[in-house]
Amino acid sequence: MGRQVVIVGAGPAGLAAAAGALRAGAGVTLIDAAEQPGGQYHRMLPEAFAAERPERLHHGWEGFQRLRRHVLGHPRCAWWAESTVWSLERSDPGDPRPPRVHVLRGAPDGAGRDRYVLDPDALVLAPGAHDRVLPFPGWDLPGVFTAGAAQALAKGERLAVGDDVVIAGSGPFLLPVAALLLEAGSRVREVLEANPPGTVLRGWGRRPWELASQGGKAAELAEYTALLARHRVPYRLGRAVVEARGQGRVEEVVTARLRADWSVVPGTERTVPADAVCVSHGFTPQLELPVAAGCALRQESAAESFVQVDGDQLTTAPGVYAAGEITGIAGAPAARTEGLLAGWLAAGGPPGAAEIATLRRSRDQARAFAERLAAAHPIGAAWPGWLRSGTVVCRCEETSYGTLCAAADDRASGAARAMKLRTRAGLGPCQARVCGPTVAELLARRAAGGPGRPAEGLAPAGPHHRPLAQPIRLGELAAPPLAFGAVTPAKKENPR
């Protein structure tokens, strides 16, 4: 048996990494918390629904199905569905081996999950990203959804989040969400892109010849534009939802025109009736596992970090590769390219192979596209002007903006850990996965100290530092693992 590669995440990047590792001759263990591979991009209906797949709303669906059948049916691939990596145990300093992988198998809310410990020759991390949503007055009302949640319900359950829906935020992701909600039966009243036309055009128009390699993106845009036109859905640039109102749930939203820095233009507020609002201001990479593995991060801003990788997708941690949205937000095709490259090299494939040179060129073009995407759809610096003192910032603990500011201005609680204990922001069930980047950005703006000032004797705190990446019951922790060491294809079957 050749090298053993463990891949965490079975979205576009993880599934492609498995294909690349298999092509290089390695044994693969592919781990994902979902029942089916594909991630959010290729989310499928449960098999029990036995419904026809809406292939026209799944770009690249046939290619995904071929890749899925190839990987899951390969004799050297062990597919672990409904499995979560709850911890990564680093090797001793100087030890070139990758971290030990601690896995729980079984439904997250089920009893009697089994615990495994794996010792791979290489580890590929591809956990993906989730929506980032900036807070605004009323965003904690029932009926306010992340755009990703609305997409998941429409794709995975054929459920519409509302009858009259407003979609708002920034980035091209708003368009496929609108398309899916229209397909599910919602009336989409409008789609709002917060950045004004000048910002969007400058971002996409810079060196336009570079877009030639992204012809598929242009076709998708044309398809979504035609769909919105057929349903007479307006797409408005330079406008955002700045408040949601209602008694017990969303009944209307207030939209306003924004300047380039996202400050509100006075007098442009408009009230729109709606029973649901879907919001997305970009994506936040899931960095808990890379941080646990010891991977260095590339800091883009106070609220945005990505895993630092070299030209081979290798991180700064020994034997750990990264692919997909955790290295930069660039979309599913870019994630697949990075995954293929990471999987091949993690499995010991020759780095000078002819097809690898092609992959590297495609990866570099995808990174250039990511830079263009960030330039066309940035988050404006003045968005905190939407907030009021009583606006909830951390929804789990109901921490308000005023509470956060008061704590930030008090030097006695300026350190990140003291700030968290005083305000309780980030201590709720999501463990700062939703509010962490926003809180970090807001604190960085305060003069009395930012989120990186450590308490004496402790390393700087951050929203991604978690010794336990996922919840584990004490009984599961106390029980001995069912398997310890490398995984072979003989252990392929899922006992659940």
Side-chain angles (χ1 to χ4, degrees), residues 8 85 87-91 95 97-101 123-125 287-297 307 315-322 326 464-467 469:
V8 182
V85 175
S87 181
L88 293 178
E89 182 182 347
R90 300 187 201 177
S91 301
D95 190 334
R97 291 177 298 180
R100 180 168 285 164
V101 183
L123 174 64
V124 179
L125 297 177
L287 299 177
E288 296 87 0
L289 292 178
V291 169
C295 304
L297 302 182
V307 177
T315 72
T316 57
V320 180
Y321 296 77
I326 60 172
H464 309 295
H465 290 267
R466 295 185 183 89

Side-chain angles (χ1 to χ4, degrees), residues 416-440:
R417 290 178 176 84
M419 183 81 63
K420 183 177 287 190
L421 291 174
R422 175 169 172 174
T423 66
R424 296 200 59 80
L427 291 179
C430 87
Q431 288 291 286
R433 288 175 175 84
V434 174
C435 71
T438 296
V439 170

Side-chain angles (χ1 to χ4, degrees), residues 295-369:
C295 304
L297 302 182
R298 186 182 78 252
Q299 193 81 26
E300 298 289 334
S301 68
E304 191 173 50
S305 301
F306 297 99
V307 177
Q308 178 181 321
V309 294
D310 64 11
D312 293 338
Q313 300 300 129
L314 182 65
T315 72
T316 57
V320 180
Y321 296 77
E325 310 288 48
I326 60 172
T327 69
I329 307 300
R336 282 192 290 268
T337 302
E338 288 193 355
L340 277 169
L341 186 59
W344 172 270
L345 296 171
E355 60 266 35
I356 296 304
T358 302
L359 281 178
R360 291 185 197 276
R361 285 194 297 272
S362 298
R363 188 267 317 276
D364 293 343
Q365 291 169 349
R367 287 180 175 174
F369 178 82

Side-chain angles (χ1 to χ4, degrees), residues 350-409:
E355 60 266 35
I356 296 304
T358 302
L359 281 178
R360 291 185 197 276
R361 285 194 297 272
S362 298
R363 188 267 317 276
D364 293 343
Q365 291 169 349
R367 287 180 175 174
F369 178 82
E371 293 176 1
R372 188 185 297 274
L373 178 65
H377 302 278
I379 292 181
W383 71 265
W386 311 347
L387 306 179
R388 302 169 188 158
S389 178
T391 302
V392 170
V393 175
C394 171
R395 293 197 291 188
C396 295
E397 294 293 329
E398 300 184 345
T399 304
S400 69
Y401 179 52
T403 299
L404 195 69
C405 291
D409 292 340

Side-chain angles (χ1 to χ4, degrees), residues 29-79:
T29 303
L30 181 60
I31 301 171
D32 198 278
E35 294 181 7
Q36 298 288 341
Q40 176 79 335
Y41 189 79
H42 290 298
R43 183 181 290 271
M44 299 185 292
L45 279 170
E47 294 294 339
F49 280 32
E52 182 181 352
R53 310 293 186 193
E55 295 182 12
R56 63 189 182 85
L57 294 180
H58 285 75
H59 293 277
W61 178 257
E62 292 182 358
F64 160 69
Q65 286 287 59
R66 288 194 299 271
L67 182 62
R68 174 179 179 268
R69 287 192 295 267
H70 166 69
V71 170
L72 269 58
H74 200 286
R76 282 188 275 107
C77 179
W79 162 233

